Amino acid sequence: MPTAQRDLDRGSGRRVSGVTPNSNKRSNAGMDAIDFPDDLVQTQAAWNATYDALAAPRPRDTTVLRRRLLRLSVRLWWHPYWQTAPAVPVLAARCELRRLARADVGVDGC
């Protein structure tokens, strides 16, 4: 595949910086590490586990799982960290939190 086409963002025609050959993942080498509180990472990991349980085929106790997912979502959204967070884009920080929580179980992605 030609380099110019490989570096284009799918569908938009825009160039994507930091895309490595044979990969569609952007490099995070230039990003500063974000130091999240342990309870926030644990809450995100619990949210991920609950979401995965709800997304499984024929989940049991869907009402309980949905309520738990809602409670965890509220805790994540209104956690005090977001009021005192250093000046970083909030969406990028939330994505990094999801990536960090999934890294504990060996899953990568945002």
Side-chain angles (χ1 to χ4, degrees):
M1 175 184 296
T3 303
Q5 187 171 355
R6 182 183 62 227
D7 291 343
L8 291 178
D9 189 36
R10 291 185 182 153
S12 71
R14 294 177 297 148
R15 292 183 86 50
V16 177
S17 62
V19 176
T20 58
N22 301 322
S23 173
N24 62 355
K25 297 181 181 177
R26 292 185 175 100
S27 171
N28 291 336
M31 284 184 62
D32 293 335
I34 300 174
D35 190 25
F36 295 106
D38 290 337
D39 66 321
L40 184 58
V41 176
Q42 291 169 355
T43 302
Q44 181 66 55
W47 189 98
N48 293 343
T50 304
Y51 184 89
D52 292 343
L54 193 56
R58 298 184 188 182
R60 295 180 52 111
D61 302 322
T62 57
T63 302
V64 172
L65 291 172
R66 286 180 181 146
R67 287 178 180 161
R68 179 171 167 74
L69 194 64
L70 182 59
R71 277 194 313 273
L72 291 169
S73 295
V74 169
R75 285 185 198 162
L76 287 170
W77 186 260
W78 295 107
H79 192 279
Y81 171 80
W82 302 116
Q83 299 300 318
T84 61
V88 296
V90 175
L91 290 177
R94 289 183 188 274
C95 184
E96 178 66 15
L97 174 63
R98 286 190 295 274
R99 188 203 60 76
L100 182 63
R102 290 217 182 264
D104 291 337
V105 293
V107 178
D108 190 21
C110 180

XYZ file of all heavy atoms in Angstrom:
864
model
N 0.853 -1.174 0.000
C 0.000 0.000 0.000
C 0.893 1.230 0.000
O 1.829 1.305 0.786
C -0.891 -0.005 1.255
C -1.727 1.230 1.394
S -2.690 1.293 2.929
C -3.772 -0.075 2.736
N 0.595 2.219 -0.834
C 1.404 3.430 -0.865
C 1.351 4.155 0.475
O 0.330 4.169 1.154
C 0.766 4.280 -1.961
C -0.119 3.363 -2.722
C -0.440 2.217 -1.840
N 2.478 4.775 0.837
C 2.574 5.469 2.118
C 1.527 6.560 2.244
O 0.901 6.712 3.287
C 3.976 6.091 2.282
O 4.931 5.050 2.162
C 4.111 6.767 3.628
N 1.312 7.332 1.185
C 0.349 8.432 1.250
C -1.054 7.919 1.570
O -1.779 8.513 2.359
C 0.338 9.206 -0.061
N -1.429 6.806 0.982
C -2.765 6.270 1.246
C -2.846 5.654 2.631
O -3.846 5.758 3.307
C -3.136 5.229 0.199
C -4.579 4.780 0.346
C -5.006 3.925 -0.822
O -4.256 3.760 -1.767
N -6.192 3.399 -0.744
N -1.756 5.024 3.084
C -1.737 4.410 4.401
C -1.910 5.461 5.494
O -2.520 5.221 6.512
C -0.426 3.663 4.613
C -0.352 2.944 5.942
C 0.991 2.279 6.160
N 2.045 3.269 6.196
C 3.193 3.173 5.533
N 3.435 2.137 4.764
N 4.103 4.115 5.630
N -1.383 6.667 5.259
C -1.434 7.721 6.258
C -2.720 8.535 6.217
O -2.875 9.476 6.968
C -0.237 8.662 6.099
C 1.069 7.978 6.469
O 1.034 6.933 7.138
O 2.113 8.488 6.084
N -3.647 8.181 5.335
C -4.905 8.906 5.267
C -5.896 8.331 6.264
O -5.995 7.129 6.440
C -5.507 8.832 3.861
C -4.768 9.598 2.777
C -5.464 9.380 1.450
C -4.675 11.066 3.094
N -6.604 9.222 6.914
C -7.663 8.804 7.817
C -8.793 8.227 6.981
O -9.197 8.820 6.000
C -8.147 10.002 8.629
C -9.088 9.597 9.742
O -8.900 8.550 10.347
O -10.015 10.366 9.995
N -9.307 7.070 7.369
C -10.339 6.410 6.572
C -11.557 7.295 6.385
O -12.135 7.773 7.339
C -10.764 5.112 7.237
C -9.696 4.084 7.183
C -10.191 2.778 7.732
N -9.102 1.827 7.696
C -8.999 0.814 8.512
N -9.913 0.602 9.419
N -7.987 -0.003 8.428
N -11.925 7.487 5.137
C -13.147 8.186 4.816
C -13.048 9.699 4.782
O -13.831 10.353 4.132
N -12.100 10.285 5.477
C -12.063 11.743 5.538
C -11.050 12.337 4.578
O -11.140 13.505 4.237
C -11.737 12.208 6.953
O -10.390 11.921 7.260
N -10.055 11.553 4.164
C -9.021 12.074 3.285
C -7.968 12.886 4.019
O -7.076 13.442 3.406
N -8.067 12.965 5.356
C -7.083 13.720 6.127
C -5.912 12.830 6.479
O -6.053 11.641 6.694
C -7.698 14.249 7.420
C -8.780 15.275 7.175
C -9.397 15.715 8.482
N -10.030 14.565 9.101
C -10.132 14.366 10.401
N -9.643 15.225 11.242
N -10.725 13.294 10.883
N -4.746 13.436 6.584
C -3.568 12.684 6.992
C -3.621 12.451 8.502
O -4.054 13.301 9.253
C -2.294 13.438 6.633
C -2.090 13.504 5.130
C -0.818 14.181 4.756
N 0.403 13.408 4.701
C 0.622 12.263 4.080
N -0.360 11.653 3.493
N 1.798 11.714 4.041
N -3.172 11.295 8.920
C -3.157 10.932 10.326
C -1.707 10.893 10.772
O -0.895 10.165 10.207
C -3.819 9.551 10.560
C -3.718 9.163 12.013
C -5.259 9.586 10.105
N -1.379 11.681 11.769
C -0.005 11.701 12.249
C 0.232 10.555 13.223
O -0.663 10.149 13.949
C 0.294 13.026 12.945
O -0.543 13.171 14.056
N 1.435 10.057 13.234
C 1.816 9.054 14.199
C 1.346 7.644 13.894
O 1.474 6.765 14.718
N 0.795 7.392 12.719
C 0.369 6.045 12.371
C 1.599 5.290 11.880
O 2.300 5.737 10.995
C -0.732 6.057 11.290
C -1.093 4.648 10.881
C -1.956 6.775 11.801
N 1.844 4.155 12.480
C 3.005 3.372 12.107
C 2.658 2.423 10.974
O 1.498 2.062 10.803
C 3.512 2.559 13.320
O 2.453 1.721 13.766
C 3.956 3.477 14.443
N 3.638 1.999 10.187
C 3.366 1.036 9.109
C 2.758 -0.244 9.674
O 3.108 -0.673 10.765
C 4.746 0.768 8.506
C 5.585 1.927 8.911
C 5.048 2.403 10.223
N 1.844 -0.830 8.929
C 1.178 -2.077 9.304
C 0.369 -1.961 10.600
O 0.196 -2.929 11.315
C 2.193 -3.222 9.443
C 2.942 -3.442 8.164
O 2.372 -3.345 7.076
N 4.233 -3.690 8.257
N -0.075 -0.771 10.905
C -0.857 -0.579 12.117
C -1.805 0.584 11.915
O -1.534 1.497 11.170
C 0.066 -0.283 13.299
O -0.701 0.055 14.422
N -2.931 0.543 12.609
C -3.828 1.682 12.585
C -3.846 2.372 13.940
O -4.680 3.204 14.211
C -5.253 1.263 12.189
C -5.851 0.295 13.181
O -5.181 -0.139 14.107
N -7.102 -0.039 12.991
N -2.905 2.033 14.811
C -2.840 2.626 16.139
C -1.879 3.805 16.135
O -0.799 3.734 15.573
C -2.374 1.592 17.162
C -3.344 0.444 17.300
C -2.864 -0.536 18.315
C -3.844 -1.684 18.407
N -3.401 -2.712 19.319
N -2.294 4.865 16.770
C -1.440 6.043 16.886
C -0.472 5.831 18.027
O -0.794 5.242 19.040
C -2.280 7.281 17.127
C -3.111 7.650 15.937
C -3.831 8.962 16.185
N -4.540 9.365 15.005
C -5.837 9.192 14.805
N -6.563 8.615 15.717
N -6.406 9.592 13.695
N 0.706 6.369 17.868
C 1.712 6.281 18.913
C 1.407 7.293 20.010
O 1.094 8.441 19.736
C 3.099 6.563 18.323
O 4.038 6.691 19.354
N 1.518 6.880 21.253
C 1.311 7.777 22.385
C 2.638 8.185 23.006
O 2.677 8.626 24.141
C 0.442 7.104 23.451
C -0.967 6.921 22.988
O -1.418 7.641 22.106
N -1.663 5.976 23.559
N 3.714 8.047 22.252
C 5.035 8.317 22.794
C 5.175 9.757 23.286
O 5.871 10.027 24.245
C 6.103 8.010 21.749
N 4.511 10.697 22.633
C 4.642 12.086 23.008
C 3.704 12.536 24.114
O 3.800 13.656 24.589
N 2.775 11.676 24.536
C 1.820 12.071 25.569
C 2.429 11.950 26.952
O 3.184 11.033 27.237
C 0.569 11.179 25.523
C -0.361 11.492 24.402
S -1.868 10.490 24.488
C -2.548 11.033 26.049
N 2.083 12.898 27.803
C 2.490 12.805 29.196
C 1.602 11.777 29.889
O 0.429 11.652 29.581
C 2.313 14.148 29.905
C 3.264 15.196 29.356
O 4.310 14.805 28.825
O 2.943 16.394 29.454
N 2.181 11.059 30.827
C 1.396 10.088 31.589
C 0.462 10.837 32.524
O 0.823 11.849 33.110
C 2.329 9.185 32.378
N -0.757 10.348 32.647
C -1.731 10.961 33.533
C -1.809 10.101 34.774
O -1.946 8.883 34.700
C -3.111 11.055 32.840
C -2.999 11.888 31.575
C -4.133 11.651 33.783
C -4.260 11.912 30.750
N -1.704 10.728 35.920
C -1.724 10.006 37.187
C -3.137 10.027 37.749
O -3.582 11.022 38.306
C -0.744 10.664 38.159
C -0.524 9.836 39.394
O -0.721 8.602 39.337
O -0.147 10.412 40.428
N -3.862 8.918 37.578
C -5.233 8.812 38.072
C -5.231 8.231 39.478
O -4.420 7.374 39.802
C -6.059 7.890 37.174
C -6.256 8.415 35.793
C -5.579 7.864 34.734
C -7.129 9.456 35.555
C -5.756 8.350 33.457
C -7.327 9.939 34.281
C -6.631 9.390 33.226
N -6.187 8.634 40.305
C -6.330 8.017 41.629
C -6.710 6.541 41.483
O -7.408 6.161 40.544
C -7.467 8.801 42.292
C -7.757 9.962 41.412
C -7.146 9.705 40.089
N -6.251 5.742 42.426
C -6.518 4.299 42.364
C -8.008 3.977 42.351
O -8.446 3.085 41.626
C -5.856 3.576 43.543
C -4.345 3.551 43.419
O -3.840 3.670 42.284
O -3.676 3.412 44.461
N -8.794 4.703 43.147
C -10.225 4.399 43.193
C -10.903 4.701 41.854
O -11.843 4.018 41.464
C -10.920 5.128 44.337
C -10.941 6.640 44.161
O -9.939 7.213 43.681
O -11.960 7.264 44.512
N -10.409 5.681 41.113
C -10.979 5.996 39.805
C -10.664 4.888 38.799
O -11.533 4.456 38.036
C -10.444 7.340 39.302
C -11.009 7.869 37.994
C -12.526 8.027 38.064
C -10.347 9.188 37.635
N -9.443 4.379 38.832
C -9.059 3.279 37.935
C -9.843 2.018 38.288
O -10.329 1.308 37.402
C -7.535 3.016 38.001
C -7.144 1.812 37.162
C -6.763 4.250 37.552
N -10.022 1.755 39.577
C -10.785 0.581 40.004
C -12.253 0.702 39.601
O -12.866 -0.292 39.179
C -10.661 0.392 41.513
C -9.281 -0.022 41.946
C -9.088 0.048 43.449
O -9.960 0.498 44.186
N -7.917 -0.390 43.907
N -12.803 1.896 39.682
C -14.191 2.105 39.270
C -14.334 1.890 37.774
O -15.290 1.260 37.312
C -14.675 3.517 39.661
O -14.534 3.678 41.077
C -16.128 3.731 39.276
N -13.362 2.378 36.991
C -13.407 2.169 35.546
C -13.279 0.682 35.218
O -13.973 0.173 34.334
C -12.295 2.956 34.847
C -12.287 2.801 33.334
C -13.513 3.409 32.674
O -13.812 4.569 32.874
N -14.223 2.610 31.874
N -12.420 -0.036 35.928
C -12.269 -1.474 35.693
C -13.564 -2.214 36.033
O -13.975 -3.133 35.312
C -11.104 -2.023 36.515
N -14.238 -1.800 37.110
C -15.522 -2.409 37.471
C -16.575 -2.093 36.410
O -17.395 -2.956 36.064
C -15.976 -1.905 38.844
N -16.567 -0.878 35.877
C -17.493 -0.497 34.800
C -17.255 -1.379 33.581
O -18.199 -1.886 32.980
C -17.303 0.981 34.454
C -18.330 1.523 33.514
C -19.445 2.226 33.857
C -18.343 1.420 32.076
N -20.151 2.557 32.717
C -19.497 2.087 31.618
C -17.489 0.851 31.136
C -19.820 2.182 30.261
C -17.810 0.943 29.794
C -18.964 1.599 29.365
N -15.976 -1.567 33.215
C -15.633 -2.413 32.059
C -16.138 -3.837 32.262
O -16.715 -4.435 31.347
C -14.120 -2.434 31.831
C -13.574 -1.092 31.391
O -14.305 -0.206 30.956
N -12.274 -0.924 31.518
N -15.912 -4.389 33.447
C -16.345 -5.761 33.723
C -17.869 -5.885 33.678
O -18.400 -6.862 33.133
C -15.821 -6.207 35.090
N -18.555 -4.894 34.210
C -20.020 -4.912 34.199
C -20.545 -4.794 32.774
O -21.467 -5.514 32.376
C -20.580 -3.778 35.074
O -20.030 -3.904 36.388
C -22.088 -3.829 35.140
N -19.953 -3.910 32.006
C -20.364 -3.736 30.605
C -20.152 -5.031 29.828
O -21.018 -5.452 29.059
C -19.583 -2.594 29.968
C -20.014 -2.301 28.559
C -21.043 -1.399 28.309
C -19.409 -2.927 27.475
C -21.456 -1.131 27.014
C -19.812 -2.671 26.181
C -20.835 -1.769 25.951
O -21.241 -1.509 24.670
N -18.992 -5.661 30.026
C -18.700 -6.921 29.334
C -19.687 -8.012 29.733
O -20.118 -8.804 28.900
C -17.267 -7.370 29.611
C -16.220 -6.456 28.970
O -16.591 -5.679 28.061
O -15.051 -6.516 29.388
N -20.049 -8.065 31.018
C -21.019 -9.063 31.478
C -22.387 -8.811 30.849
O -23.091 -9.751 30.468
C -21.117 -9.031 33.003
N -22.747 -7.550 30.710
C -24.036 -7.210 30.108
C -24.036 -7.480 28.603
O -25.060 -7.841 28.026
C -24.359 -5.740 30.387
C -25.764 -5.247 30.112
C -26.791 -6.080 30.876
C -25.892 -3.787 30.496
N -22.877 -7.342 27.976
C -22.770 -7.543 26.527
C -22.641 -9.020 26.147
O -22.756 -9.365 24.973
C -21.569 -6.774 25.982
N -22.425 -9.882 27.114
C -22.289 -11.316 26.841
C -23.612 -11.872 26.321
O -24.676 -11.346 26.629
C -21.870 -12.049 28.112
N -23.536 -12.942 25.552
C -24.781 -13.551 25.079
C -25.613 -14.078 26.258
O -25.079 -14.730 27.147
C -24.321 -14.708 24.191
C -22.857 -14.579 24.042
C -22.355 -13.618 25.054
N -26.883 -13.767 26.234
C -27.837 -14.204 27.260
C -27.357 -13.934 28.687
O -27.198 -14.870 29.491
C -28.131 -15.689 27.103
C -28.771 -16.012 25.782
C -29.118 -17.451 25.707
N -29.567 -17.758 24.349
C -29.983 -18.930 23.972
N -30.021 -19.920 24.823
N -30.367 -19.121 22.737
N -27.118 -12.667 29.007
C -26.646 -12.373 30.369
C -27.737 -12.647 31.401
O -28.926 -12.531 31.118
C -26.316 -10.881 30.315
C -27.170 -10.354 29.225
C -27.316 -11.466 28.225
N -27.305 -13.045 32.576
C -28.245 -13.257 33.677
C -28.340 -11.965 34.464
O -27.405 -11.182 34.516
C -27.736 -14.373 34.579
C -27.691 -15.725 33.869
C -27.168 -16.787 34.806
N -27.926 -16.776 36.063
C -28.749 -17.743 36.439
N -28.900 -18.798 35.682
N -29.395 -17.668 37.581
N -29.461 -11.743 35.087
C -29.657 -10.581 35.964
C -29.368 -9.260 35.251
O -28.629 -8.415 35.744
C -28.782 -10.687 37.216
C -29.060 -11.942 38.009
O -30.244 -12.336 38.088
O -28.110 -12.531 38.543
N -29.972 -9.072 34.083
C -29.703 -7.860 33.309
C -30.108 -6.591 34.058
O -29.426 -5.569 33.942
C -30.410 -7.891 31.942
O -31.804 -8.071 32.136
C -29.855 -8.997 31.069
N -31.169 -6.658 34.843
C -31.588 -5.472 35.589
C -30.533 -5.066 36.599
O -30.185 -3.888 36.718
C -32.932 -5.727 36.297
O -33.903 -6.076 35.317
C -33.390 -4.506 37.074
N -29.974 -6.047 37.292
C -28.926 -5.776 38.277
C -27.697 -5.199 37.574
O -27.107 -4.220 38.044
C -28.558 -7.063 39.046
C -27.344 -6.847 39.926
C -29.742 -7.539 39.867
N -27.323 -5.777 36.447
C -26.156 -5.287 35.711
C -26.369 -3.869 35.190
O -25.459 -3.031 35.251
C -25.821 -6.235 34.555
C -25.281 -7.601 34.940
C -25.187 -8.513 33.720
C -23.912 -7.468 35.598
N -27.553 -3.586 34.674
C -27.838 -2.236 34.169
C -27.797 -1.199 35.286
O -27.265 -0.102 35.118
C -29.194 -2.202 33.479
C -29.183 -2.884 32.132
C -30.542 -2.831 31.486
N -30.505 -3.513 30.201
C -31.512 -4.186 29.700
N -32.646 -4.273 30.361
N -31.406 -4.770 28.532
N -28.354 -1.549 36.429
C -28.324 -0.622 37.563
C -26.895 -0.386 38.044
O -26.516 0.730 38.371
C -29.198 -1.150 38.699
C -30.668 -1.030 38.396
C -31.511 -1.606 39.502
N -32.928 -1.470 39.163
C -33.882 -2.162 39.727
N -33.603 -3.054 40.669
N -35.135 -1.980 39.361
N -26.114 -1.456 38.081
C -24.712 -1.320 38.487
C -23.948 -0.458 37.490
O -23.166 0.410 37.883
C -24.066 -2.703 38.610
C -22.602 -2.659 38.994
C -22.079 -4.057 39.326
N -20.651 -4.128 39.413
C -19.920 -3.656 40.409
N -20.499 -3.059 41.431
N -18.612 -3.774 40.395
N -24.196 -0.670 36.212
C -23.526 0.124 35.182
C -23.885 1.604 35.321
O -23.018 2.473 35.208
C -23.902 -0.400 33.794
C -23.059 0.085 32.630
C -21.622 -0.401 32.758
C -23.649 -0.410 31.322
N -25.124 1.887 35.613
C -25.555 3.269 35.808
C -24.877 3.889 37.026
O -24.369 5.016 36.967
C -27.068 3.334 35.935
C -27.671 4.728 36.087
C -27.310 5.604 34.904
C -29.167 4.631 36.234
N -24.855 3.155 38.139
C -24.189 3.672 39.353
C -22.712 3.943 39.104
O -22.179 4.981 39.502
C -24.342 2.684 40.513
C -25.643 2.786 41.253
C -25.616 2.031 42.583
N -25.069 0.690 42.488
C -25.764 -0.401 42.183
N -27.050 -0.303 41.952
N -25.186 -1.581 42.143
N -22.047 3.007 38.430
C -20.627 3.184 38.146
C -20.394 4.344 37.179
O -19.421 5.088 37.321
C -20.031 1.888 37.585
C -19.940 0.732 38.583
C -19.604 -0.570 37.859
C -18.914 1.031 39.657
N -21.295 4.524 36.226
C -21.179 5.643 35.283
C -21.260 6.976 36.016
O -20.508 7.904 35.723
C -22.289 5.569 34.222
O -22.132 4.431 33.423
N -22.174 7.062 36.975
C -22.313 8.290 37.762
C -21.055 8.539 38.578
O -20.546 9.664 38.638
C -23.565 8.212 38.665
C -23.594 9.346 39.688
C -24.816 8.226 37.814
N -20.531 7.484 39.197
C -19.292 7.635 39.973
C -18.139 8.097 39.094
O -17.332 8.937 39.517
C -18.903 6.317 40.637
C -19.748 5.973 41.816
C -19.214 4.726 42.482
N -20.220 4.135 43.335
C -20.189 2.899 43.779
N -19.195 2.108 43.439
N -21.141 2.444 44.553
N -18.025 7.534 37.907
C -16.950 7.937 36.993
C -17.111 9.390 36.548
O -16.151 10.160 36.533
C -16.918 7.024 35.761
C -16.383 5.625 35.968
C -16.632 4.771 34.736
C -14.890 5.677 36.285
N -18.327 9.746 36.154
C -18.570 11.083 35.623
C -18.342 12.182 36.663
O -17.768 13.219 36.374
C -19.997 11.173 35.077
C -20.242 12.465 34.388
C -20.878 13.554 34.897
C -19.845 12.826 33.062
N -20.904 14.565 33.968
C -20.268 14.138 32.839
C -19.166 12.141 32.050
C -20.044 14.804 31.638
C -18.949 12.808 30.857
C -19.377 14.115 30.661
N -18.804 11.942 37.909
C -18.741 12.964 38.942
C -17.594 12.774 39.928
O -17.587 13.400 40.987
C -20.066 13.024 39.693
C -21.180 13.479 38.808
C -22.190 12.712 38.310
C -21.370 14.788 38.271
N -23.003 13.470 37.503
C -22.523 14.749 37.459
C -20.679 15.993 38.383
C -23.000 15.862 36.790
C -21.161 17.100 37.706
C -22.300 17.029 36.926
N -16.617 11.966 39.599
C -15.488 11.757 40.500
C -14.763 13.094 40.730
O -14.582 13.875 39.796
C -14.519 10.725 39.898
C -13.503 10.245 40.877
N -12.362 10.949 41.179
C -13.462 9.130 41.636
C -11.657 10.302 42.070
N -12.301 9.176 42.367
N -14.350 13.366 41.968
C -13.687 14.642 42.270
C -12.415 14.894 41.449
O -12.009 16.041 41.273
C -13.334 14.528 43.756
C -14.220 13.475 44.297
C -14.563 12.556 43.165
N -11.801 13.853 40.953
C -10.583 14.024 40.148
C -10.820 14.971 38.979
O -9.952 15.774 38.647
C -10.089 12.668 39.627
C -8.970 12.810 38.624
C -7.667 13.037 39.061
C -9.207 12.739 37.258
C -6.644 13.187 38.146
C -8.191 12.891 36.345
C -6.898 13.114 36.786
O -5.884 13.277 35.881
N -11.973 14.879 38.343
C -12.224 15.681 37.137
C -12.305 17.166 37.461
O -12.096 17.995 36.581
C -13.490 15.204 36.431
C -13.392 13.762 36.052
C -14.171 12.744 36.524
C -12.456 13.162 35.152
N -13.772 11.555 35.967
C -12.728 11.778 35.126
C -11.416 13.656 34.360
C -11.998 10.881 34.344
C -10.685 12.764 33.584
C -10.975 11.393 33.584
N -12.600 17.535 38.715
C -12.619 18.941 39.105
C -11.221 19.471 39.391
O -10.971 20.666 39.258
C -13.494 19.134 40.355
C -14.939 18.725 40.160
C -15.617 19.524 39.061
O -15.433 20.728 38.952
N -16.392 18.840 38.234
N -10.323 18.577 39.804
C -8.973 18.992 40.188
C -7.921 18.526 39.189
O -6.737 18.682 39.433
C -8.618 18.425 41.573
O -8.659 16.993 41.499
C -9.588 18.911 42.630
N -8.356 17.939 38.081
C -7.420 17.374 37.101
C -6.536 18.469 36.522
O -6.973 19.598 36.340
C -8.187 16.684 35.979
N -5.292 18.103 36.224
C -4.422 19.071 35.559
C -5.011 19.450 34.203
O -5.914 18.791 33.699
C -3.097 18.323 35.404
C -3.414 16.894 35.610
C -4.684 16.819 36.411
N -4.499 20.497 33.627
C -5.040 21.016 32.362
C -4.745 20.055 31.212
O -3.791 20.222 30.473
C -4.464 22.388 32.073
N -5.574 19.022 31.100
C -5.496 18.092 29.967
C -6.882 18.014 29.361
O -7.874 18.209 30.061
C -5.032 16.672 30.390
C -3.621 16.698 30.930
C -5.972 16.064 31.396
N -6.964 17.753 28.075
C -8.297 17.588 27.486
C -9.037 16.450 28.172
O -8.519 15.347 28.322
C -7.991 17.257 26.028
C -6.610 17.773 25.787
C -5.896 17.663 27.099
N -10.247 16.718 28.623
C -11.014 15.754 29.415
C -11.304 14.487 28.621
O -11.182 13.382 29.149
C -12.310 16.389 29.948
C -13.163 15.364 30.668
C -11.986 17.543 30.871
N -11.675 14.628 27.349
C -11.968 13.423 26.561
C -10.728 12.556 26.407
O -10.807 11.330 26.485
C -12.526 13.807 25.196
C -13.928 14.405 25.217
C -14.353 14.813 23.805
C -14.922 13.437 25.800
N -9.580 13.170 26.206
C -8.338 12.403 26.097
C -8.014 11.722 27.422
O -7.570 10.570 27.449
C -7.187 13.301 25.668
N -8.256 12.406 28.520
C -7.991 11.825 29.835
C -8.930 10.657 30.115
O -8.517 9.627 30.651
C -8.130 12.891 30.919
N -10.203 10.800 29.742
C -11.150 9.700 29.945
C -10.779 8.491 29.084
O -10.900 7.346 29.506
C -12.577 10.166 29.663
C -13.097 11.115 30.723
C -14.538 11.511 30.462
N -14.983 12.545 31.354
C -15.498 12.350 32.579
N -15.624 11.128 33.035
N -15.871 13.356 33.323
N -10.318 8.745 27.874
C -9.873 7.661 26.993
C -8.651 6.965 27.596
O -8.551 5.742 27.592
C -9.561 8.225 25.610
S -9.113 6.969 24.412
N -7.727 7.738 28.121
C -6.538 7.169 28.754
C -6.925 6.355 29.986
O -6.354 5.295 30.245
C -5.569 8.292 29.137
C -4.326 7.823 29.838
C -3.408 6.968 28.986
O -3.565 6.933 27.759
O -2.514 6.317 29.559
N -7.922 6.818 30.736
C -8.405 6.061 31.899
C -8.960 4.711 31.465
O -8.663 3.681 32.074
C -9.478 6.863 32.640
C -10.186 6.152 33.797
C -9.198 5.798 34.907
C -11.320 7.021 34.331
N -9.753 4.693 30.401
C -10.301 3.420 29.902
C -9.177 2.494 29.446
O -9.192 1.298 29.712
C -11.289 3.676 28.768
C -12.599 4.241 29.242
C -13.653 4.264 28.158
N -13.322 5.151 27.056
C -13.597 6.457 27.032
N -14.188 7.016 28.062
N -13.272 7.186 25.991
N -8.177 3.063 28.760
C -7.050 2.258 28.296
C -6.275 1.684 29.480
O -5.919 0.508 29.502
C -6.117 3.094 27.414
C -5.028 2.254 26.750
C -3.817 3.080 26.369
N -3.182 3.735 27.498
C -2.403 3.128 28.390
N -2.185 1.834 28.316
N -1.851 3.805 29.367
N -6.050 2.508 30.487
C -5.317 2.072 31.671
C -6.064 0.967 32.418
O -5.475 -0.026 32.836
C -5.073 3.264 32.593
C -4.278 3.012 33.858
C -2.858 2.572 33.507
C -4.250 4.269 34.706
N -7.378 1.117 32.552
C -8.174 0.104 33.256
C -8.195 -1.204 32.480
O -8.173 -2.289 33.065
C -9.596 0.614 33.486
N -8.232 -1.141 31.147
C -8.226 -2.359 30.336
C -6.856 -3.006 30.288
O -6.750 -4.200 30.064
C -8.716 -2.064 28.925
C -10.192 -1.756 28.877
C -10.795 -2.332 27.634
N -12.209 -2.020 27.534
C -13.170 -2.841 27.917
N -12.875 -3.998 28.425
N -14.429 -2.474 27.796
N -5.800 -2.229 30.512
C -4.444 -2.787 30.484
C -4.251 -3.811 31.602
O -3.470 -4.741 31.455
C -3.412 -1.669 30.605
N -4.986 -3.635 32.695
C -4.886 -4.576 33.804
C -5.365 -5.978 33.426
O -4.923 -6.960 33.983
C -5.685 -4.089 35.014
C -5.045 -2.864 35.651
O -3.834 -2.671 35.471
O -5.763 -2.116 36.327
N -6.277 -6.059 32.453
C -6.792 -7.354 32.042
C -6.277 -7.753 30.662
O -6.750 -8.710 30.076
C -8.339 -7.381 32.048
C -8.857 -7.263 33.466
C -8.921 -6.316 31.164
N -5.318 -6.989 30.129
C -4.704 -7.357 28.860
C -5.461 -6.964 27.620
O -5.253 -7.520 26.552
N -6.379 -6.003 27.710
C -7.131 -5.539 26.550
C -6.705 -4.108 26.267
O -6.629 -3.296 27.179
C -8.648 -5.582 26.808
C -9.412 -5.053 25.619
C -9.075 -6.995 27.145
N -6.419 -3.812 25.012
C -5.995 -2.471 24.652
C -7.102 -1.808 23.849
O -7.841 -2.454 23.152
C -4.715 -2.517 23.815
C -4.101 -1.144 23.631
O -4.403 -0.255 24.438
O -3.331 -0.965 22.677
N -7.214 -0.525 23.955
C -8.174 0.207 23.141
C -8.914 1.259 23.929
O -8.851 1.307 25.140
N -9.611 2.090 23.191
C -10.316 3.195 23.808
C -11.762 3.176 23.404
O -12.141 2.801 22.367
C -9.669 4.485 23.403
S -10.465 5.916 24.102
